[in-house]
Amino acid sequence: MAEISLKAQKRALSTKGAVNELRRKGSVPGVYYANNQETIPISVTEGSLKPLVFTSQTHIVDLQIDGAEGLKSIVKHVQFHPVTDKIIHFDLLGINVKEAVEVEVPISVTGSSKGIKDGGVLQQTLHKVMISCLPNDIPNHLEIDVTNLGIGDAIHVKDLMEMFKYEFKQQEEVIVLSVVVPRSHEAVETEAETEESAEPEVIKKGKSEDEE
């Protein structure tokens, strides 16, 4: 899989005001952590972090803190500002090439579904899935061909288990993507079914009890 170098500076744990000042200067605070190692507070430029966050691929990070030898890691968590969507914090998890790691991998959809050609709509419920594997086996993405999906068909996590020999962390029955009837068509069909099933009201003519 692809590897990207990331230069970082070690920072001191400080007040909220100092961290906000760091952000105003164009840097993003974060931490590096690994099993049986002390957590290292770091900061990187926002521009250098974006290729690792806004991407359709998974990368191994070669983290270089203050010019030291690189530490192999993966992006484990990213926090965004609730209003501006700017990156405000990130976590890097140190990895060992001989130990399995849990990582989110993007899903890439290929092909033109026959269900779409018939008027259906492709719905992608999951854009990333969590898998467990050795670092050197981490794929850039999982490619799913939807050519044979018709209207009403779906691909579940259990199907991915057969396509790709990884350990998936989601429930087997979770839907990854499906081809469905457009809502407008569903509404028309529902109205038609309702009209067909409704029984006509029979109005009896005759004298009422009061009239009798």
Side-chain angles (χ1 to χ4, degrees), residues 137-157:
D137 294 333
I138 298 175
N140 291 331
H141 58 263
L142 298 181
E143 188 172 282
I144 301 177
D145 186 355
V146 298
T147 302
N148 295 322
L149 282 188
I151 294 178
D153 292 339
I155 292 179
H156 300 75
V157 170

Side-chain angles (χ1 to χ4, degrees), residues 28-41:
V28 182
V31 295
Y32 166 87
Y33 65 96
N35 291 334
N36 303 317
Q37 293 185 29
E38 184 178 353
T39 299
I40 306 175

Side-chain angles (χ1 to χ4, degrees), residues 185-196:
H185 291 186
E186 289 179 345
V188 172
E189 291 176 359
T190 301
E191 290 179 3
E193 291 174 358
T194 302
E195 291 177 358
E196 290 178 0

Side-chain angles (χ1 to χ4, degrees), residues 16-43:
K16 182 177 179 181
V19 171
N20 287 336
E21 179 63 23
L22 188 69
R23 295 185 180 117
R24 280 192 289 269
K25 291 181 179 180
S27 294
V28 182
V31 295
Y32 166 87
Y33 65 96
N35 291 334
N36 303 317
Q37 293 185 29
E38 184 178 353
T39 299
I40 306 175
I42 57 175
S43 66

Side-chain angles (χ1 to χ4, degrees), residues 48-60:
S48 66
L49 188 60
K50 284 183 176 181
L52 292 169
V53 176
F54 303 107
T55 177
S56 60
Q57 296 187 337
T58 304
H59 298 91
I60 288 181

Side-chain angles (χ1 to χ4, degrees), residues 72-88:
K72 305 300 181 185
S73 59
I74 57 172
V75 177
K76 193 63 176 177
H77 179 71
V78 179
Q79 184 179 352
F80 298 91
H81 190 282
V83 177
T84 65
D85 281 338
K86 291 187 65 174
I87 306 170
I88 59 176

